[in-house]
Amino acid sequence: MNTSRQLAEVERHDILKYPHRLNFYDKPPLDDVTIEEFEVCALNRLRILAEIESCYARNRPFDELCSITRKQCEKYLPMDASTSKTDLDAQRRVDHLGHFVLRLAFCRSEELRRRFVKAETALFRVRYDLEGQVAPLDRRAFLNSRAFAWVQVDSQEKAMYASQLQSSSLGTKDEEYYKVFCPPLTTFSVAQQYAQVKWTRVPDLVEKRRVFLKGGWAYVPSRDQSSIVFQEFQMNLEKALEITAKALPRLDEDTRLVPLLNNLSQGFLAGVPSEWNATTAGDEIKADMVDELARKHFPACMRNLHDNLKRDHHLKHFGRLQYGLFLKVLGLSIEEAMLFWRRSFSGYTDDQFNKNYKYNIRHSYGLEGKRANYPAKSCQQILTMDQPGSTDNHGCPYRHFSPDNLQTALLSMYSAQGLTSADIPEILSTVKAGHYHVACTRVFEITHANRGVKKGEGVGGGESITHPNQYASRSRELEKAAVEAAKVEDGDVVMAG
């Protein structure tokens, strides 16, 4: 298909309500939306933004951030090219709606706005670069649909400043980078095409000396014109968030939306929106197995609760709730749970145990009260709810321990699994920045390096820890795979012998 026919096919999609995958989100959604759709669209987008934040916290290079973000988008926000025969408007509506819901949730403070803008700009950049690789005509159609207020430099002016323009060109290494991530917007070579804009619109290019400046104007080569697009996206979003913040008080009396928005903003601060299925129990475990499982597979929050339970033969209410639900989803049946907790509370008589604790254990399994199947607590809930006091043991050690106590606890818990004092500064630095889930994920990688887990891999595909049971489940999977591999190897040796 020639270029003119391809362009014509792309333009036919202008009749769509959402004609482009790339979007500046200028117009708010005006459709009727159910509360469930309102929440689901926001959570799907939030999961992607949380992984982007995690990538920044871990100083991942841009190519890794692109790879992880694209996988997350395929999973949670798939959007096909304009030439696809799928229902494009339905796909793009989910993206559009999710963005505006998160605007409501994250316009409330300067910190939330800053983090939201950074993550959204990164998401737009990833999509923009991917569009240039797989659907350049779609990207050109999007750019033609907007007025970016750049002036193309004519041949006479280019000839006048030829030497200056040439000297601002990129070196070999950068050229290779831009071939991969920022393909030219037109078929002309970079040396031939320049746009003229006010230098204040491309401060990043000025800082890196990639443009020629003259009289307050920057001469931007075509391959770097994406910087103008990104800058405008960021500025538009910053202004929109400020406007949204002023209008938000009108929602204060809406009891349907305010709790939901509060939950979303808390999840963004924690950085860990979770989709972990926290109600389905894993393979059945016995009470006698818990101690060994704790030493080999538990995250710091649950390991801390287990160690304190062994030492004090007691946990306070929120500690029992946090640990009990974790063990339930791990695979501890109600019968084994009764046995485990009775043995653990060895300083109490049977009457005291039955009177004070038995009902609550049965209640958490849905056998008393309203008989609900209570899920285990996610990292988000542990970080943001039921904050521990000085005599409590529940909570997240990465957030609630002092740096010295955290260092001591981590070395005590995980030295046998490969964690050393040399690893502590990196972990504490991440904790100081408020990325507690990233610190937990890094500990997982270090302690499972002998299982083939590499730095940056997380629990698989670069994803961070979002739930204590996710940590334990993945740890057990890795051990099981290693055992199976050893059996196969031993079998091969026997056959060879």
Side-chain angles (χ1 to χ4, degrees):
M1 185 182 293
N2 60 40
T3 301
S4 59
R5 288 180 61 191
Q6 288 177 319
L7 278 173
E9 187 168 342
V10 171
E11 288 169 358
R12 284 204 300 271
H13 288 269
D14 287 344
I15 62 174
L16 294 171
K17 185 174 183 179
Y18 305 98
H20 310 288
R21 281 191 291 188
L22 296 173
N23 196 340
F24 265 42
Y25 308 101
D26 300 308
K27 299 178 181 179
L30 301 176
D31 306 322
D32 292 334
V33 180
T34 65
I35 294 295
E36 181 181 5
E37 185 182 19
F38 187 91
E39 182 176 17
V40 169
C41 290
L43 283 173
N44 284 343
R45 192 179 194 88
L46 185 55
R47 292 185 178 109
I48 297 172
L49 300 187
E51 282 302 327
I52 290 174
E53 272 220 326
S54 177
C55 287
Y56 279 123
R58 306 188 71 173
N59 296 315
R60 294 185 187 275
F62 183 69
D63 57 340
E64 289 186 18
L65 184 148
C66 281
S67 176
I68 292 171
T69 304
R70 290 170 185 173
K71 289 177 181 177
Q72 293 290 97
C73 287
E74 290 172 3
K75 186 175 181 181
Y76 297 115
L77 284 178
M79 289 196 293
D80 296 324
S82 294
T83 52
S84 172
K85 303 301 182 183
T86 55
D87 189 347
L88 300 177
D89 269 341
Q91 287 184 335
R92 296 171 186 182
R93 179 178 182 273
V94 172
D95 173 76
H96 194 253
L97 179 59
H99 172 87
F100 276 93
V101 175
L102 293 189
R103 274 196 194 181
L104 290 174
F106 304 138
C107 68
R108 302 174 171 212
S109 71
E110 184 177 347
E111 171 68 7
L112 280 173
R113 290 195 293 269
R114 180 189 63 79
R115 292 173 66 174
F116 181 63
V117 168
K118 184 177 181 180
E120 278 284 347
T121 303
L123 175 59
F124 179 84
R125 181 181 177 185
V126 169
R127 287 175 166 176
Y128 183 91
D129 292 342
L130 180 62
E131 195 88 332
Q133 296 175 48
V134 302
L137 295 178
D138 283 11
R139 189 170 79 172
R140 190 189 304 179
F142 166 74
L143 292 173
N144 291 339
S145 71
R146 300 191 62 87
F148 287 100
W150 57 42
V151 179
Q152 293 298 326
V153 179
D154 59 33
S155 56
Q156 182 177 357
E157 192 170 5
K158 282 189 288 185
M160 184 184 306
Y161 300 119
S163 61
Q164 292 93 329
L165 294 174
Q166 183 65 32
S167 66
S168 66
S169 63
L170 297 170
T172 305
K173 182 177 180 181
D174 284 331
E175 284 180 357
E176 187 64 28
Y177 173 87
Y178 272 80
K179 285 179 185 176
V180 176
F181 295 110
C182 298
L185 302 183
T186 71
T187 57
F188 296 100
S189 68
V190 175
Q192 292 173 328
Q193 298 296 314
Y194 289 84
Q196 190 181 40
V197 296
K198 286 290 187 181
W199 74 269
T200 52
R201 293 186 62 189
V202 286
D204 56 329
L205 299 180
V206 173
E207 179 185 8
K208 297 173 183 176
R209 301 187 179 184
R210 293 218 298 257
V211 291
F212 166 56
L213 299 179
K214 177 70 175 180
W217 295 90
Y219 290 71
V220 184
S222 60
R223 77 173 81 189
D224 278 337
Q225 287 171 13
S226 58
S227 179
I228 303 172
V229 180
F230 302 152
Q231 182 77 1
E232 184 152 335
F233 177 89
Q234 180 175 329
M235 291 174 59
N236 285 0
L237 183 54
E238 288 171 348
K239 293 177 181 177
L241 285 169
E242 292 175 1
I243 294 172
T244 305
K246 294 178 181 178
L248 192 65
R250 301 176 189 175
L251 286 177
D252 283 348
E253 296 181 2
D254 193 325
T255 57
R256 302 167 304 162
L257 299 184
V258 171
L260 194 156
L261 295 175
N262 287 338
N263 185 56
L264 288 171
S265 61
Q266 285 179 349
F268 195 62
L269 284 171
V272 284
S274 176
E275 65 159 353
W276 181 261
N277 187 346
T279 58
T280 303
D283 296 335
E284 185 177 356
I285 63 173
K286 303 294 184 181
D288 293 337
M289 299 167 57
V290 174
D291 192 53
E292 182 181 3
L293 290 172
R295 287 186 283 106
K296 296 167 64 176
H297 303 298
F298 284 12
C301 54
M302 299 305 165
R303 181 68 183 271
N304 175 60
L305 287 168
H306 181 81
D307 291 347
N308 278 279
L309 178 59
K310 285 183 62 179
R311 184 193 66 199
D312 301 333
H313 304 289
H314 184 263
L315 285 176
K316 297 178 72 173
H317 171 72
F318 287 116
R320 296 197 306 274
L321 183 63
Q322 181 176 319
Y323 193 38
L325 291 174
F326 168 81
L327 292 175
K328 168 190 168 185
V329 173
L330 193 66
L332 195 68
S333 66
I334 179 60
E335 294 78 15
E336 292 294 323
M338 283 296 182
L339 181 59
F340 170 78
W341 286 105
R342 182 65 193 97
R343 288 176 178 173
S344 299
F345 281 51
S346 58
Y348 295 81
T349 66
D350 287 341
D351 286 343
Q352 289 174 322
F353 179 82
N354 291 336
K355 180 178 179 181
N356 296 320
Y357 305 109
K358 186 176 180 178
Y359 177 88
N360 286 335
I361 297 170
R362 289 177 53 81
H363 187 276
S364 67
Y365 277 77
L367 300 176
E368 301 288 355
K370 63 179 182 180
R371 301 181 182 275
N373 184 20
Y374 294 98
K377 291 186 177 296
S378 68
C379 294
Q380 176 181 326
Q381 292 170 315
I382 292 171
L383 285 164
T384 60
M385 299 171 62
D386 304 324
Q387 298 301 293
S390 58
T391 60
D392 291 316
N393 302 123
H394 67 281
C396 172
Y398 299 100
R399 178 173 186 178
H400 300 122
F401 281 19
S402 69
D404 288 342
N405 288 345
L406 178 60
Q407 176 175 339
T408 301
L410 291 178
L411 290 174
S412 173
M413 294 173 185
Y414 299 115
S415 290
Q417 294 174 263
L419 186 76
T420 68
S421 56
D423 300 311
I424 297 299
E426 177 187 2
I427 296 167
L428 292 182
S429 176
T430 308
V431 168
K432 185 177 181 180
H435 300 292
Y436 311 111
H437 65 303
V438 175
C440 186
T441 304
R442 182 64 189 127
V443 169
F444 180 90
E445 291 170 347
I446 293 168
T447 56
H448 292 80
N450 63 335
R451 303 295 190 197
V453 178
K454 300 177 181 178
K455 184 175 183 179
E457 187 175 333
V459 289
E463 289 193 20
S464 302
I465 301 295
T466 62
H467 199 289
N469 286 88
Q470 178 190 25
Y471 184 113
S473 176
R474 181 58 179 156
S475 179
R476 295 180 73 192
E477 287 174 6
L478 290 169
E479 181 185 56
K480 184 177 180 181
V483 170
E484 293 297 327
K487 288 180 180 178
V488 172
E489 185 176 342
D490 290 342
D492 291 342
V493 171
V494 171
M495 291 177 66

